[in-house]
Amino acid sequence: MSWETVIGLEIHVQLATKTKIFSGSSTAFGAEPNTQACAIDLALPGILPVLNAEAVRMALMFGLAIDAEIPKRSVFERKNYFYPDLPKGYQTTQLAEPIVGAGHVDVDLADGSTKRIRIHHAHLEEDAGKSLHEDYAGQSGIDLNRAGTPLIEIVTEPDMRSAEEAVAFAKKLHGIVTTLGICDGEMAQGSMRFDVNISVRKKGAELGTRTETKNLNSFRFMEEAIKLEVERQIDVIEDGGRVIQETRLYNGDTKTARSMRSKEEANDYRYFPCPDLLPVVIEDSYIAELKATLPELPDAKQKRFVVQYGLSAYDASILSADRVMSAYFEEVVTASGDAKLAANWVIGDLSAALNRSSLELGQSPVSSVQLGDMIARIKDGTISGKIAKQVFELMWTEGGTADEIIEKQGLKQVSDSGAIEKIVDDIIAASPQQVENYRGATEDKRPKMLGFFVGQIMKASQGKANPQQVNEILLKKLEG
Amino acid sequence: MHNLTLAQTAQALADKQFSSREVTQHYLDRIARLDKNYNSFITVTADLALAEADAADARRANGKADFLTGVPFAHKDIFCTKGVRTSCGSRMLDNFISPYDATVVEKYRAAGMVMLGKTNMDEFAMGSSNETSFYGPVNNPWDTSCVPGGSSGGSATCVAARLVPGATATDTGGSIRQPAALCGITGLKPTYGRVSRWGMIAFASSLDQAGPMARTAEDVALMLGAMAGFDPKDSTCLDKEVPDYLADLNKDLRGLKIGVPREYFGEGLNEKTAAQVQNALREYEKLGATLVDISLPHSALAVPAYYVIAPAECSANLSRFDGVRYGYRCEKPQDLSDMYCRTRAEGFGEEVKRRILVGAYALSAGFYDAYYRKAQQVRRLIQQDFIDAFKQVDVIMGPTSPSPAFAFGAKGSDPVAMYLEDIYTIATNLAGLPGMSLPCGFVDNKPVGLQIIGNYFDEARMLNVAHRYQQVSDWHMQMPAGVAV
Amino acid sequence: MAIERQQVEQLAHLARIALDESTLSRTTRSLADVLALIDQLQAVDTTGIEPMAHPLDAVQRLRADIVTEPDQRDVLQAIAPAVQDGLFLVPKVIE
């Protein structure tokens, strides 16, 4: 098949300011309807906007993080359309002169390659409220708590070629904004929302007609929606039809998408500079000040993890992807003193357990210190890696420190050579046939046959015998 | 009592010649008796006014009074007043009780001034005759068959009819100066950014500016001082010290250079009006000023540029009136679209709808560059004309409006004829400059206004220039017949 | 630039203003008058002139990120046309 998919994204990122972009109302999530919507948010007659300094700072931090051009001047415009969740009848946004210019994000793909995704620009704007469609006697209810929440809208070039690339980019972006602390990254609450522009073409051909699937708020929905839309477009074309430019909505529950009624005329938004706001001018000295406050970003962190901890590039990219993950990992390293074991446990058992329980790392019942202390017990020989899985399981379900669990469950590794010798003797005595076979076998067959004895011995010791000592003693007895 | 100017009223209160309650009651009685002839008020807040008057008297008794404490006045019904209907002259806001105060309202309250009510105006300040008000036209006290001008026709009329000593107003293209001229009073539109726009219902945000109306330049100086100043709630309000506007009122005018723009005395100007303005200019020469012939070459483009920019801004500013959160909502909407379209069709009057449509047109895809962008470029040319002129002169003078008050309906059918009423005032709004109008004579028993245009933030000089003229003339003290009673 | 009825209908739709038949004709005529006025701008050469969006040559002031607006729902909704459970009610919104 010679179809190529072309994907560009527009991402709405809610900035983690305390107040709205143009008013002093709180932006805290989950308040009672319209209790965080003041006269300004309600667009009462006579109200005026004043720009939130923190929203500007956060947008600039993003620009610096993606190595973007930062224009000296940016301008707010009015985008005119009617909708009940848009109180002023226009959205205050930026168009011709956005606050962040062209930049780029490098994305590590699963095959080990790195791809550069170009960012066209990012602009500041206000979020709309919410229309609640529960039935109020045939009417809709409008909650304006979200109206005026600051957003940056990040617009990429159409540089992605598959759902996987788009998702990898989205995750990288999530890591950048959470590391910067400019967004809480809570996708389920709508803190990051993705609009996906998709088209397909025969390799090397002109760009095809694109559709836009709006408001995807999870990586999984994004991947599903892209795959579904790509399939649909290819089907349409292969059946001799033509893709029409339209806006689509994906339903994550039914795994289906539909066209939004495009009866709404080709929108004419009549943008013009907002006369209630003056041009935003950014001084070079402020940029320098902000640069000095940039935290270590995922790319830099990944490189450091490779050098400092000797991790593979791929492991390092997973562990550096977002702030919660990298902080957790480094705490485990500190507590355990072993970076490689820490990486294996965080990427392996811990991530698997989180997935099984559908939990975010931030909600993990096992803290970084708990996990680190347990790994320290592996490293100092108190428990084996195998027993550690038991300890981890108990820690996950019942809590407690590794030491308490090891003590209480009697899981401490047996390293007393007398005790191990006794078990070895018992097993040898109980298995005369196997002993005879072993001794009669050639040198190259013997290591494989050794497994039987080790297995029996570990079983008899309930897994607690120090495996290294078992090997040594067993060899001495069988061959000596 | 009503023959006293605002300054004299304040002085009389300070001298305890009468109380605020007495003067407030006096004006309330006049309004009750006379305003049926003029319709200058949309809402009279008698109880509130008397309560404020009592509070002002108590404040004076405690020795805490400012100079303006206890002085009655009226607000144009474009300023949001908490707990009081703020209609903006529109059916759309007929039921709108503002839950908050405009900054200008707060400042006057802080000064202890006593609001008598809210004055009539063209709907959303769109008009030059006060004929577009949902609450009916206002009658000019000098000739009740004529318009008072607009949009601040109610404020101008109640001042001229001695129903208040002073009133607030707003000016987007001449809405303070033109009605001041047609009603024979003094009005000043300050430099853009001098007075906070917070709580002042927007018509065209980059042009709107609040200012005072009263009988004398001295009154206007007092009222401006109390309303001007920085407001953190308005991004376009400048953080610039407010001078004492009374300090230089009496300064000598010798050496003053007055620019007289050729373009303001051309075709379209009523000859008798021109003669009155020329007389005033000769009076200034007698006061020691020099007249300088100047040119503002792009003057003729001001009206066309304005009628792109103002409608464009208003088309967005008035989108919030959608029947969702406050104000008028049509009966029994069939669906969302029906609610929007009928609410706005029924809630807005014809002129407002026309301007919204013109604005939508000027901004729409394919026309933006030809109209909106072009108008903004012309706006810069107009501003540059003034910048060049102020290199040579201190103030600019000319007529405020091309003719005196006209009869109701005289400019009814053709919106463009009405738009040309503001041909001399609009350019200063585009440039953001301060402008004022003061009485300078009569034509057929109707007042004529002299316009003074100043440089940016040069209001103190303009007031000085106006005040000196009022020391040697008495046009501003003339009283319409029927007002004395 | 002449304006057609159909354009006026489109503008009325963008501005969400219902126009009936008679109003439409009248509005079309008066818009034509206004457009003739503003068309005078076309005669001016504005090559190289920077558009002037605002009379002030100033820059945007910024506000500190501090919550200053307490909950005022009851006051603000007292003037609303239709409210239930703290929500503003409108005819059904269909996406």
Side-chain angles (χ1 to χ4, degrees):
Chain A
M1 198 173 67
S2 58
W3 290 102
E4 183 182 48
T5 306
V6 177
I7 300 168
L9 299 180
E10 289 164 23
I11 307 101
H12 289 93
V13 176
Q14 280 186 342
L15 297 177
T17 55
K18 292 189 190 70
T19 65
K20 296 192 177 174
I21 185 166
F22 298 123
S23 85
S25 294
S26 170
T27 53
F29 182 81
E32 283 292 300
N34 292 307
T35 55
Q36 291 176 174
C38 70
I40 296 175
D41 308 320
L42 259 53
L44 252 54
I47 61 88
L48 294 168
V50 183
L51 181 59
N52 184 341
E54 192 62 0
V56 172
R57 185 191 70 83
M58 289 180 171
L60 293 174
M61 288 293 274
F62 176 73
L64 293 173
I66 61 160
D67 199 18
E69 295 164 34
I70 309 283
K72 181 92 186 155
R73 188 184 115 113
S74 67
V75 172
F76 282 96
E77 307 206 26
R78 293 179 176 180
K79 177 183 184 182
N80 294 286
Y81 65 96
F82 283 88
Y83 208 75
D85 64 14
L86 187 73
K88 294 191 293 288
Y90 57 82
Q91 181 193 29
T92 308
T93 177
Q94 299 184 311
L95 181 72
E97 297 183 69
I99 189 158
V100 172
H104 58 83
V105 171
D106 292 332
V107 179
D108 292 310
L109 302 174
D111 66 4
S113 67
T114 299
K115 177 155 186 174
R116 172 156 291 191
I117 308 298
R118 291 168 301 156
I119 305 295
H120 181 272
H121 76 271
H123 62 258
L124 270 171
E125 63 183 24
E126 58 185 340
D127 209 342
K130 283 179 180 165
S131 304
L132 305 175
H133 302 298
E134 291 98 83
D135 210 26
Y136 287 93
Q139 305 188 83
S140 293
I142 307 297
D143 175 10
L144 297 173
N145 280 350
R146 198 179 70 177
T149 298
L151 299 174
I152 46 173
E153 180 174 340
I154 302 162
V155 180
T156 77
E157 298 286 357
D159 285 352
M160 287 149 279
R161 293 291 173 270
S162 67
E164 291 76 12
E165 282 184 26
V167 170
F169 167 78
K171 286 184 172 166
K172 183 68 175 277
L173 202 63
H174 185 269
I176 292 172
V177 297
T178 52
T179 301
L180 289 170
I182 64 171
C183 176
D184 65 17
E186 300 291 346
M187 308 214 4
Q189 296 177 4
S191 294
M192 271 182 99
R193 312 191 296 266
F194 295 85
D195 297 345
V196 192
N197 289 297
I198 303 168
S199 64
V200 299
R201 63 175 170 190
K202 293 277 184 185
K203 265 220 154 74
E206 299 264 305
L207 280 178
T209 305
R210 67 189 164 91
T211 63
E212 183 179 28
T213 304
K214 274 183 123 55
N215 262 328
L216 299 164
N217 67 352
S218 85
F219 298 129
R220 189 161 53 85
F221 288 168
M222 187 169 143
E223 183 161 4
E224 291 166 2
I226 294 173
K227 287 183 168 158
L228 188 69
E229 176 59 9
V230 168
E231 241 173 72
R232 187 190 71 86
Q233 290 190 11
I234 292 173
D235 284 351
V236 166
I237 298 169
E238 287 185 341
D239 289 349
R242 280 173 49 190
V243 173
I244 49 166
Q245 192 167 343
E246 63 184 352
T247 302
R248 299 181 64 81
L249 272 186
Y250 179 71
N251 183 327
D253 297 332
T254 60
K255 314 283 178 218
T256 54
R258 65 176 170 88
S259 177
M260 280 173 82
R261 296 168 313 135
S262 53
K263 167 182 158 276
E264 287 302 309
E265 76 279 346
N267 263 321
D268 183 349
Y269 290 122
R270 292 156 287 140
Y271 284 92
F272 74 104
C274 178
D276 286 331
L277 292 161
L278 298 169
V280 179
V281 172
I282 306 298
E283 299 299 338
D284 293 344
S285 58
Y286 187 52
I287 294 292
E289 214 177 285
L290 290 184
K291 260 187 189 152
T293 68
L294 269 181
E296 185 183 35
L297 290 163
D299 280 348
K301 201 169 275 175
Q302 182 196 0
K303 290 198 183 90
R304 180 168 64 81
F305 284 3
V306 170
V307 173
Q308 184 178 344
Y309 301 131
L311 303 182
S312 74
Y314 189 68
D315 284 359
S317 90
I318 293 173
L319 292 169
S320 60
D322 76 70
R323 194 166 56 159
V324 179
M325 176 70 109
S326 61
Y328 189 100
F329 164 68
E330 293 210 270
E331 285 157 16
V332 176
V333 173
T334 306
S336 67
D338 191 316
K340 285 204 171 154
L341 272 178
N344 289 343
W345 273 90
V346 172
I347 296 172
D349 296 69
L350 177 69
S351 296
L354 289 169
N355 269 342
R356 274 197 301 277
S357 314
S358 297
L359 292 176
E360 300 288 325
L361 181 54
Q363 306 163 301
S364 170
V366 174
S367 75
S368 53
V369 173
Q370 279 175 295
L371 180 58
D373 286 349
M374 188 197 80
I375 294 171
R377 296 288 86 84
I378 303 173
K379 204 170 143 63
D380 69 12
T382 307
I383 52 173
S384 65
K386 203 161 180 187
I387 289 292
K389 287 180 194 291
Q390 267 185 60
V391 175
F392 180 80
E393 195 55 44
L394 287 165
M395 225 183 243
W396 183 274
T397 51
E398 284 158 37
T401 68
D403 287 340
E404 284 163 7
I405 294 167
I406 293 165
E407 181 63 42
K408 198 169 148 204
Q409 304 289 327
L411 294 174
K412 199 163 179 169
Q413 184 158 270
V414 178
S415 301
D416 170 354
S417 53
I420 294 173
E421 246 187 278
K422 168 138 198 335
I423 301 171
V424 174
D425 287 343
D426 288 352
I427 296 297
I428 288 176
S431 320
Q433 187 59 51
Q434 281 82 355
V435 174
E436 196 180 315
N437 289 350
Y438 180 90
R439 288 185 173 145
T442 54
E443 200 73 26
D444 60 323
K445 298 241 169 80
R446 283 184 177 184
K448 209 173 174 184
M449 300 173 76
L450 203 60
F452 165 75
F453 297 100
V454 174
Q456 293 295 309
I457 294 160
M458 293 312 280
K459 199 170 165 188
S461 75
Q462 292 169 302
K464 288 182 287 188
N466 181 321
Q468 226 168 333
Q469 278 175 305
V470 169
N471 259 330
E472 278 167 25
I473 294 167
L474 184 64
L475 278 175
K476 208 165 67 193
K477 300 255 171 193
L478 285 174
E479 295 177 12
Chain B
M1 240 181 244
H2 55 271
N3 286 324
L4 300 177
T5 66
L6 184 123
Q8 288 164 344
T9 305
Q11 191 58 53
L13 284 166
D15 297 342
K16 307 217 161 74
Q17 290 175 28
F18 46 73
S19 67
S20 176
R21 188 177 182 92
E22 286 168 315
V23 69
T24 298
Q25 189 63 61
H26 175 76
Y27 277 114
L28 287 172
D29 291 346
R30 283 184 64 79
I31 293 168
R33 196 169 73 245
L34 296 171
D35 197 42
K36 57 182 183 293
N37 303 331
Y38 308 114
N39 193 31
S40 67
F41 279 86
I42 290 173
T43 305
V44 177
T45 51
D47 294 345
L48 191 66
L50 290 170
E52 284 183 356
D54 289 343
D57 286 332
R59 182 169 161 180
R60 191 169 296 281
N62 291 331
K64 300 250 173 68
D66 288 343
F67 188 60
L68 294 175
T69 301
V71 174
F73 77 103
H75 274 306
K76 183 175 180 178
D77 205 17
I78 198 169
F79 294 98
C80 285
T81 41
K82 191 172 179 174
V84 175
R85 173 174 62 179
T86 301
S87 74
C88 221
S90 181
R91 181 184 192 191
M92 189 62 91
L93 292 177
D94 183 46
N95 63 0
F96 179 67
I97 310 294
S98 176
Y100 79 108
D101 275 333
T103 296
V104 166
V105 172
E106 272 178 5
K107 281 181 173 256
Y108 273 23
R109 181 170 297 135
M113 294 179 73
V114 176
M115 182 182 83
L116 301 184
K118 310 288 296 288
T119 65
N120 204 341
M121 56 182 286
D122 276 303
E123 183 180 12
F124 285 104
M126 297 178 199
S128 305
S129 67
N130 217 111
E131 290 169 295
T132 72
S133 171
F134 174 63
Y135 300 92
V138 175
N139 301 328
N140 190 316
W142 294 94
D143 180 345
T144 50
S145 68
C146 286
V147 305
S151 65
S152 313
S155 286
T157 295
C158 66
V159 171
R162 311 304 199 255
L163 303 181
V164 287
T168 60
T170 61
D171 188 317
T172 305
S175 282
I176 290 177
R177 291 160 287 162
Q178 185 255 12
L182 270 50
C183 290
I185 63 164
T186 306
L188 186 147
K189 176 201 99 73
T191 308
Y192 186 88
R194 177 76 286 183
V195 178
S196 170
R197 294 187 298 114
W198 173 262
M200 184 179 119
I201 299 177
F203 160 15
S205 312
S206 79
L207 303 162
D208 296 342
Q209 187 64 195
M213 285 179 147
R215 299 217 314 270
T216 70
E218 184 187 21
D219 291 354
V220 164
L222 278 166
M223 289 181 73
L224 178 62
M227 73 164 67
F230 177 62
D231 180 3
K233 296 203 283 287
D234 176 0
S235 297
T236 65
C237 185
L238 288 197
D239 191 357
K240 199 172 162 63
E241 207 187 323
V242 180
D244 176 359
Y245 291 116
L246 297 174
D248 287 343
L249 272 188
N250 286 302
K251 226 170 116 183
D252 201 305
L253 295 189
R254 272 176 295 186
L256 180 79
K257 282 188 263 178
I258 299 173
V260 183
R262 268 164 254 163
E263 293 81 3
Y264 284 27
F265 291 85
E267 200 187 333
L269 177 62
N270 176 306
E271 274 176 38
K272 291 178 187 171
T273 298
Q276 297 301 314
V277 172
Q278 294 292 359
N279 285 343
L281 292 174
R282 273 196 293 282
E283 203 62 47
Y284 273 106
E285 282 185 301
K286 286 188 214 158
L287 288 167
T290 315
L291 302 185
V292 183
D293 171 46
I294 60 164
S295 174
L296 300 169
H298 296 94
S299 292
L301 294 169
V303 171
Y306 178 89
Y307 278 96
V308 171
I309 293 165
E313 293 185 9
C314 101
S315 72
N317 281 335
L318 270 57
S319 292
R320 68 193 57 193
F321 303 107
D322 58 5
V324 175
R325 298 164 311 284
Y326 51 79
Y328 180 75
R329 179 191 284 197
C330 69
E331 293 289 330
K332 298 195 173 64
Q334 289 169 6
D335 56 30
L336 187 61
S337 174
D338 183 51
M339 183 192 76
Y340 281 143
C341 294
R342 277 203 294 124
T343 294
R344 291 166 61 78
E346 295 164 14
F348 291 138
E350 195 174 338
E351 181 61 25
V352 169
K353 285 186 270 193
R354 176 158 44 240
R355 295 199 195 186
I356 290 173
L357 294 175
V358 169
Y361 180 79
L363 292 171
S364 59
F367 296 107
Y368 181 90
D369 283 350
Y371 290 111
Y372 186 76
R373 191 183 149 84
K374 187 89 176 177
Q376 298 286 37
Q377 289 174 312
V378 168
R379 183 178 192 177
R380 192 170 293 284
L381 294 174
I382 289 166
Q383 182 196 38
Q384 194 57 50
D385 285 354
F386 283 112
I387 290 172
D388 293 343
F390 281 117
K391 285 175 188 156
Q392 307 171 54
V393 301
D394 302 311
V395 292
I396 292 169
M397 286 190 192
T400 304
S401 70
S403 60
F406 48 91
F408 290 107
K411 307 192 179 190
S413 58
D414 179 5
V416 174
M418 186 71 83
Y419 296 172
L420 293 173
E421 232 343 80
D422 294 327
I423 189 162
Y424 305 127
T425 49
I426 268 177
T428 55
N429 297 82
L430 290 170
L433 290 164
M436 72 184 291
S437 179
L438 62 158
C440 71
F442 286 84
V443 167
D444 306 328
N445 272 327
K446 289 184 273 192
V448 173
L450 170 72
Q451 182 175 211
I452 304 175
I453 299 169
N455 210 338
Y456 293 102
F457 294 99
D458 211 9
E459 289 85 356
R461 190 204 301 260
M462 295 159 68
L463 288 161
N464 161 229
V465 168
H467 180 71
R468 292 297 299 212
Y469 177 79
Q470 294 186 337
Q471 300 300 100
V472 297
S473 66
D474 66 353
W475 308 115
H476 61 293
M477 299 310 284
Q478 304 290 318
M479 202 188 304
V483 159
V485 285
Chain C
M1 221 170 287
I3 186 157
E4 309 287 337
R5 279 171 66 103
Q6 191 201 332
Q7 272 177 292
V8 177
E9 281 175 318
Q10 169 66 7
L11 293 174
H13 174 66
L14 283 175
R16 298 295 187 277
I17 294 174
L19 289 183
D20 58 36
E21 265 312 297
S22 67
T23 332
L24 185 59
S25 317
R26 194 155 36 108
T27 305
T28 305
R29 274 198 304 281
S30 78
L31 283 188
D33 289 342
V34 178
L35 296 184
L37 171 76
I38 66 179
D39 267 332
Q40 292 173 23
L41 294 173
Q42 306 314 323
V44 198
D45 181 9
T46 52
T47 317
I49 306 292
E50 180 68 19
M52 177 174 157
H54 217 273
L56 292 180
D57 188 23
V59 302
Q60 180 59 38
R61 221 175 334 107
L62 303 179
R63 173 178 65 77
D65 186 27
I66 298 165
V67 176
T68 53
E69 298 291 336
D71 171 22
Q72 288 224 66
R73 186 175 76 181
D74 293 346
V75 175
L76 294 172
Q77 292 195 333
I79 51 172
V83 170
Q84 191 180 324
D85 302 343
L87 298 163
F88 296 98
L89 294 190
V90 297
K92 194 124 200 82
V93 176
I94 301 156
E95 267 181 20

